[in-house]
Amino acid sequence: MSLEAIVDAADRILEAEGPEKLSMRRLATGLGAAPMALYYHVRDKDELLLRVLEAHARQIPHPELPADPRERCLATAILLYELLSERAWIVEVLTAGDLFAPAALWFVESMIGAAVECGCTPEEAVDVYHTLWYYIVGNLIIRVNSARRRARAAPVYGNEAMVELTTGVYPHLASVAPRWNELNLRDSHLRGLTAIVDGLLPAGCGKLVR
């Protein structure tokens, strides 16, 4: 039993069922080994998760990014969002603790570097990155949880409440209530990320300024 086999088996569980379903005992059973055998390769579940994250990060292609710093910041944020949207379990792992994959730090470097090139101080550039990161994570967590609820055919009480709104009390909400579910399902991350980049980077930097 190799470390690579352990990481591959853990990755399959994570992709299929999420991090909550991954345990060292279950992983060992799937590999036909005793749980203690895993500890010759990894210290604990956190180290195992870190190794799976790093394996994924090393497979990410490094595309040629725009030379314009504002466009580069946005392109990096969009790429990060779209990659994570395909691997929802990674978002759950990253937001549950202090784990990160060193091979993925180029995303952070790219966004912070672009902000500095636009005239931000290093501290301001970190704020730009954090704001983009929190938007990406928050957006994806809500989408993942909503998708799970729909998969269980659970009632969406928010949609039901919207239908009952009256124009006299909440006229603007009532006007969109019939389409509330449809509007909630729209993928608006491009508009959201663009607005954040435009709002946080200094005016006059790059081609995205309106």
Side-chain angles (χ1 to χ4, degrees):
M1 183 171 58
S2 66
L3 176 59
E4 182 180 1
I6 294 171
V7 169
D8 287 345
D11 187 36
R12 288 193 294 272
I13 295 174
L14 290 164
E15 290 282 359
E17 302 178 59
E20 290 186 359
K21 299 297 183 181
L22 176 65
S23 70
M24 301 297 274
R25 181 173 298 278
R26 178 181 177 184
L27 184 59
T29 300
L31 290 167
M36 289 303 298
L38 301 182
Y39 294 102
Y40 285 104
H41 299 277
V42 292
R43 183 173 56 252
D44 51 27
K45 181 178 174 179
D46 279 351
E47 183 180 345
L48 175 60
L49 288 170
L50 178 59
R51 289 186 178 275
V52 180
L53 288 173
E54 185 68 6
H56 274 280
R58 288 177 179 173
Q59 294 171 7
I60 297 172
H62 287 220
E64 185 174 347
L65 295 168
D68 176 85
R70 187 178 291 259
E71 290 187 349
R72 184 166 72 251
C73 185
L74 178 61
T76 305
I78 291 172
L79 177 61
L80 181 58
Y81 179 98
E82 292 177 348
L83 287 169
L84 290 177
S85 69
E86 299 171 358
R87 302 166 179 83
W89 67 265
I90 294 181
V91 177
E92 296 181 67
V93 170
L94 293 176
T95 56
D98 60 352
L99 300 178
F100 69 92
L105 286 178
W106 68 269
F107 283 101
V108 185
E109 173 69 17
S110 177
M111 285 186 273
I112 289 179
V116 169
E117 286 183 46
C118 274
C120 292
T121 66
E123 293 78 12
E124 290 169 341
V126 171
D127 289 340
V128 171
Y129 158 71
H130 277 152
T131 303
L132 289 164
W133 172 244
Y134 294 149
Y135 173 86
I136 291 169
V137 168
N139 185 297
L140 289 174
I141 286 177
I142 290 172
R143 288 187 175 277
V144 167
N145 289 335
S146 296
R148 286 176 178 167
R149 189 172 183 85
R150 292 194 301 275
R152 298 196 308 268
V156 183
Y157 294 105
N159 293 342
E160 295 175 0
M162 282 293 171
V163 172
E164 297 173 1
L165 291 177
T166 63
T167 57
V169 181
Y170 301 109
H172 298 294
L173 287 175
S175 69
V176 295
R179 300 174 54 222
W180 190 255
N181 186 49
E182 170 198 341
L183 295 173
N184 276 339
L185 293 176
R186 288 188 310 173
D187 194 346
S188 59
H189 73 277
L190 292 177
R191 177 184 294 181
L193 291 171
T194 301
I196 292 171
V197 169
D198 277 347
L200 292 180
L201 294 185
C205 169
K207 301 174 183 177
L208 295 178
V209 179
R210 286 154 175 71

